[in-house]
Amino acid sequence: MFASEVLRSVDNMASKRSNTFKVLLASLAVAALGYVLRSPSLYLRRETKSSLGYPKDSLLNFTELTAEYGYLSEEHKVLTDDGYILTMFRIVKARNCHRAKRSPPVLLMHGLLQSSDSWIDSGPDAGLAYLISDACYDLWLGNVRGNYYSRGHVRLDPDKDPAYWKFYIEEIGIYDVPAMIDYVLNYTGFQKLNYIGFSQGTGTFLVMCSEKPGYCDKVKLVISLAPASRQMHTQSKIFRTVTQTFYRMEGLLSMTGLQEVFSKGGFSQEFVAFFCQLSGVTERLCEKVIDAFDHVDSTHLGSITNQTTRVLFGHFPAGTSVHNMARYGQSMNSGRFEKFDYGREQNLVLYGSEEPPQYNLSATTVPVMCIYGKNDGLVDTRDVEWLMAQLPNVLEMVKVEDPQWNHMDVTYSQYTGDTIFPKINEYLLKYTSA
Ligand SMILES: *[C@@H]1O[C@H](CO)[C@@H](O)[C@H](O)[C@H]1NC(C)=O
Ligand SMILES: *[C@@H]1O[C@H](CO)[C@@H](O)[C@H](O)[C@H]1NC(C)=O
Ligand SMILES: *[C@@H]1O[C@H](CO)[C@@H](O)[C@H](O)[C@H]1NC(C)=O
Ligand SMILES: *[C@@H]1O[C@H](CO)[C@@H](O)[C@H](O)[C@H]1NC(C)=O
């Protein structure tokens, strides 16, 4: 649908000679954008960044950063059925847990453009990975294909093979999440685990339940934090515009060789990391950008500390595919939670129907509890409530009391210990046997 729309408008423009220049200019802009978003870029060495004043925590990886605060973590490599090599982390020793680990294991899954580091960027008093492992749960953290920890494949080279980047939440849900669940269960010897998914981390779980019969049964409980499914009511103009631009221009972008976006070490991430730690003024600007990106109400009270802002941009954005971003653009316009819309003709070939098939939300038979925020500009309360009404086994929906609670607060707020952790802990305990 959009391909033909773009073609038609390009046609219209080209037919007017005076507009040829604009088309050229637009193509150039697209190519430049592609270059900026993709370029492997600056390669500042860690020592250089350190001497430039980057906060130390922003330069450490998961194992190093958790060790810094007295936690012991392991790295695990997980192979998916389609050859992607993912990295998981397990916190084997928490600083404040002085009893045997509770079971079953807990799998914690990050959101779009994040990695497992998002759960520790706000430090040991607030990062959910710390709070959960301090409560003695056996905590595993996932990383989905395309982010800097999971950029491997047995055959494909992410830097050379566009095929590596042909994925969206469909493949993450069909391959990555099941592979990580199987790995954890096999490694620990349990039959089931408890799953916590933030935003896309819930969306991909829903895809798995719909498309991989049997896998839902390997999970006892899902704790769904600001779940992303359809995003019809998303209020963030920036997020809407960015993702819809990817949706409209995916074809053009891929012609310029752009398949991967917002990768760590790429220009965009290096730039924000540098910029956000540069001075008090730029730091404040970065907070403003997070706010504008994320929330609805403009009187947000800064629940994300200065230190967290400086640290998180060392790990965010963590990278994904253009195709995945484009699919979010589609989800802004659709009242359904469905597969990628390639336009009528291609849909007919691929799916046998003009409209993309919807994911089967009735297949998420596992008990789900949901925590969401009133001021979330990315995942609107109306879309969360729509989703929960489709799921057959919802235990409870909790709207965070703080009227300012927004999307990024889930991973980066300094107040998670008071706002969302008690409820998470209550449900984990209920679904824990020892
Ligand atoms: C994290 O850093 C340690 C120490 O530099 C290194 O051995 C390890 O491979 C890194 N882990 C990942 C997943 O990058
Ligand atoms: C399951 O775990 C065992 C031992 O921990 C290991 O040898 C085996 O390769 C694992 N299987 C899979 C499919 O990961
Ligand atoms: C955070 O930064 C702002 C603006 O630079 C400043 O006014 C505030 O005092 C800082 N807060 C802390 C806790 O350092
Ligand atoms: C959706 O999943 C449910 C539960 O597994 C199943 O009973 C139903 O037939 C499925 N619907 C479709 C359209 O596949």
Side-chain angles (χ1 to χ4, degrees), residues 182-183 186-187:
D182 278 342
Y183 184 93
N186 179 50
Y187 195 90

Side-chain angles (χ1 to χ4, degrees), residues 279-423:
S279 70
V281 176
T282 57
E283 200 178 293
R284 224 168 317 158
L285 204 66
C286 288
E287 281 161 24
K288 286 252 179 317
V289 171
I290 304 182
D291 275 1
F293 186 67
D294 182 27
H295 72 156
V296 184
D297 190 309
S298 60
T299 55
H300 192 47
L301 297 172
S303 71
I304 301 175
T305 67
N306 297 354
Q307 171 66 6
T308 301
T309 305
R310 289 164 45 120
V311 172
L312 81 88
F313 281 112
H315 302 133
F316 177 91
T320 192
S321 65
V322 169
H323 199 46
N324 196 32
M325 292 301 290
R327 168 62 179 56
Y328 279 92
Q330 173 190 327
S331 72
M332 300 289 144
N333 280 343
S334 172
R336 322 179 325 157
F337 184 48
E338 61 193 358
K339 299 196 182 209
F340 204 100
D341 189 349
Y342 294 96
R344 276 166 210 278
E345 278 168 36
Q346 245 198 304
N347 286 345
L348 259 178
V349 175
L350 267 172
Y351 307 129
S353 58
E354 291 189 350
E355 299 290 327
Q358 303 189 44
Y359 291 114
N360 183 1
L361 292 171
S362 313
T364 301
T365 48
V366 52
V368 175
M369 79 86 44
C370 168
I371 304 179
Y372 62 121
K374 295 174 193 156
N375 192 30
D376 190 323
L378 296 184
V379 170
D380 194 87
T381 54
R382 284 165 288 180
D383 289 324
V384 173
E385 285 156 10
W386 171 84
L387 169 65
M388 291 299 141
Q390 318 293 312
L391 301 182
N393 200 352
V394 176
L395 301 171
E396 188 180 359
M397 298 166 63
V398 178
K399 238 191 231 180
V400 178
E401 257 176 56
D402 174 1
Q404 302 296 330
W405 193 258
N406 67 25
H407 204 66
M408 294 305 188
D409 280 338
V410 174
T411 38
Y412 304 124
S413 166
Q414 59 180 316
Y415 303 125
T416 50
D418 297 327
T419 47
I420 58 174
F421 179 68
K423 208 68 193 176

